Amino acid sequence: MSYGSFPPAPGGRRGGTLAVVLAALIPACFAGWLLWSSEGDGKGAGGSGPPTASSTSSPPPSSAAPTSGAPSSHAPSSAAPDALKGKVVVIDPGHNPNNRDHPAQIARRVDIGTNTKECDTTGTATNSGYAEASFTLDVARRARALLEAHGATVKFTQDGKTEFGPCVDERAEFGNKAHADAVVSVHADGAGPGERGFHIILPKGVHGGGADTSAITKPSRRLGERLLDSFTEETGSEPADYVGDGSGLNVRGDLGGLNLTTVPKVFIECGNMRDAKDAAHLTDAHWRERAARGIAQGITDFLHG
């Protein structure tokens, strides 16, 4: 069960609530009109004398009418604006839209503890040219707004304003220095056509060089499990069956962003940009809002145990 769920997108149950209110008010208004009409007819026929108490009192309000200040049906179960006060969340939007202009810089090898890897990459794109780096920034910004609305301090590793990167080791260090309570790196996959779904990448237990994940593998798994549940619920997407064991959780020890973290951290691959059906979701702004909600809710559930 989600803790402090975020309110659903507009257009959900508001229409149903209005219909119920109108159904309750129309009969009451009609009854009042009949009472007024009958009194008017009596006076017009020569009826005089002081009005009775029943003729001057207003009809009692309908029990179905909403009371002032009552929560609407679309209110969250726990909407306290400070629900995440004191929590630090780092969102790591994968890649960078400017990486493509700096091929030499992002190709530089960096130490990830167990071996070396490229500083960063350009990421993938849909067949129509929608870049992963644009997708990750959009979803990250939406998730940031949701988390900040609940009091969290949200920091980005990059917001598309740097020349390139940062490198994968720097992304990990950013979360470490922020003493983040949770870090989520947002991505989209570039698998083959026909391979669909999302998955969460968890840090493997590694110890070597500058890498030691022994203290964060268990909390990172809990974070990943919360994300898996909330993302499934919010987007309706299924866990990818082309990686790992089909559970939607995939453990890897070859990613610098995970190897070098000292705080709970996971990657989420929100879908496959190279599959036409997944790409239709990833390029849709409404679906990206649901994806952001799934990420924000998963982080919230993790932070509250």
Side-chain angles (χ1 to χ4, degrees):
M1 179 179 293
S2 295
Y3 182 100
S5 59
F6 296 95
R13 284 181 280 179
R14 293 190 181 195
T17 303
L18 180 59
V20 171
V21 173
L22 289 176
L25 289 178
I26 290 174
C29 293
F30 184 66
W33 178 83
L34 286 177
L35 179 61
W36 174 86
S37 178
S38 63
E39 292 172 0
D41 288 344
K43 292 176 181 179
S48 60
T52 65
S54 61
S55 69
T56 57
S57 62
S58 300
S62 168
S63 60
T67 59
S68 177
S72 62
S73 61
H74 62 278
S77 59
S78 176
D82 60 350
L84 297 177
K85 186 177 181 180
K87 301 296 184 180
V88 177
V89 176
V90 169
I91 300 181
D92 177 28
H95 311 288
N96 184 323
N98 301 318
N99 278 356
R100 61 175 180 254
D101 299 324
H102 301 273
Q105 288 91 335
I106 65 172
R108 178 173 62 86
R109 309 289 291 189
V110 298
D111 185 5
I112 65 168
T114 55
N115 51 53
T116 62
K117 206 160 189 176
E118 297 93 338
C119 160
D120 203 1
T121 66
T122 59
T124 187
T126 65
N127 291 333
S128 63
Y130 182 54
E132 179 186 1
S134 297
F135 169 83
T136 64
L137 275 173
D138 183 79
V139 171
R141 288 166 179 162
R142 294 170 186 268
R144 174 174 60 187
L146 292 166
L147 291 164
E148 287 181 339
H150 282 255
T153 297
V154 183
K155 300 181 179 182
F156 275 19
T157 57
Q158 61 91 16
D159 203 357
K161 299 175 182 178
T162 56
E163 287 187 328
F164 63 90
C167 296
V168 294
D169 56 337
E170 295 170 323
R171 290 173 187 262
E173 187 63 16
F174 187 97
N176 298 343
K177 288 183 176 180
H179 302 288
D181 295 290
V183 183
V184 174
S185 188
V186 182
H187 287 263
D189 209 2
E195 296 179 322
R196 298 192 61 197
F198 77 98
H199 64 279
I200 313 292
I201 305 176
L202 310 176
K204 185 178 181 178
V206 297
H207 184 80
D212 184 0
T213 61
S214 57
I216 55 88
T217 51
K218 288 184 178 180
S220 294
R221 175 171 283 273
R222 290 198 300 272
L223 172 59
E225 290 170 346
R226 301 298 185 274
L227 278 174
L228 182 72
D229 291 342
S230 61
F231 200 84
T232 300
E233 182 177 352
E234 291 289 346
T235 66
S237 298
E238 295 291 334
D241 59 5
Y242 64 90
V243 293
D245 58 2
S247 68
L249 299 174
N250 187 30
V251 179
R252 290 177 60 175
D254 63 329
L255 298 174
L258 295 181
N259 284 6
L260 300 175
T261 186
T262 59
V263 295
K265 181 177 181 178
V266 299
F267 281 42
I268 179 168
E269 299 279 0
C270 296
N272 179 16
M273 301 199 93
R274 308 300 293 175
D275 175 79
K277 292 182 179 179
D278 269 13
H281 289 154
L282 298 167
T283 55
D284 179 68
H286 296 292
W287 188 92
R288 293 198 299 273
E289 180 66 20
R290 295 198 296 271
R293 294 172 61 81
I295 292 171
Q297 188 65 62
I299 293 171
T300 300
D301 292 343
F302 167 74
L303 293 177
H304 286 282

